[in-house]
């Protein structure tokens, strides 16, 4: 799990009315937040995009693969 993923989660979770972001081990004391964190991690782990193979991978090929998977990117 990356620090970026955790900070993105916490930015979202802090908007919840019952957000107690106090950490406990690798999770949170608040059971709802802890459950949301587990789901957040699982959703990121499930996101796998198979990129085209070959010696010369073009940016347009990568973008097409991401678009086909419904992934947003910048």
């Amino acid at each position: 799990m990356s620090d970026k993923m955790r900070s993105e989660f916490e930015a979202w979770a802090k908007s919840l009315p019952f957000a107690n972001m106090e950490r406990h081990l690798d999770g949170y004391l608040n059971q709802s937040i802890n459950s949301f964190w587990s789901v957040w991690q699982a959703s990121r782990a499930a996101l796998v995009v198979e990129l085209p193979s070959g010696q010369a991978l073009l940016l347009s090929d990568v973008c097409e693969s991401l678009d086909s998977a419904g992934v947003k990117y910048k």
Side-chain angles (χ1 to χ4, degrees), residues 1 5 34-48:
M1 170 224 20
M5 182 171 61
N34 203 48
S35 294
F36 295 150
W37 173 234
S38 295
V39 171
W40 189 280
Q41 291 177 92
S43 72
R44 298 306 193 267
L47 179 59
V48 176

Side-chain angles (χ1 to χ4, degrees), residues 1-16 19-29 33-34 36-37 40-41 44:
M1 170 224 20
S2 71
D3 290 337
K4 183 177 189 288
M5 182 171 61
R6 180 163 316 247
S7 59
E8 288 173 350
F9 167 75
E10 289 182 352
W12 170 80
K14 285 177 184 174
S15 69
L16 300 172
N20 172 359
M21 304 306 296
E22 187 175 347
R23 292 186 189 184
H24 176 69
L25 303 175
D26 191 37
Y28 298 89
L29 285 177
I33 298 296
N34 203 48
F36 295 150
W37 173 234
W40 189 280
Q41 291 177 92
R44 298 306 193 267

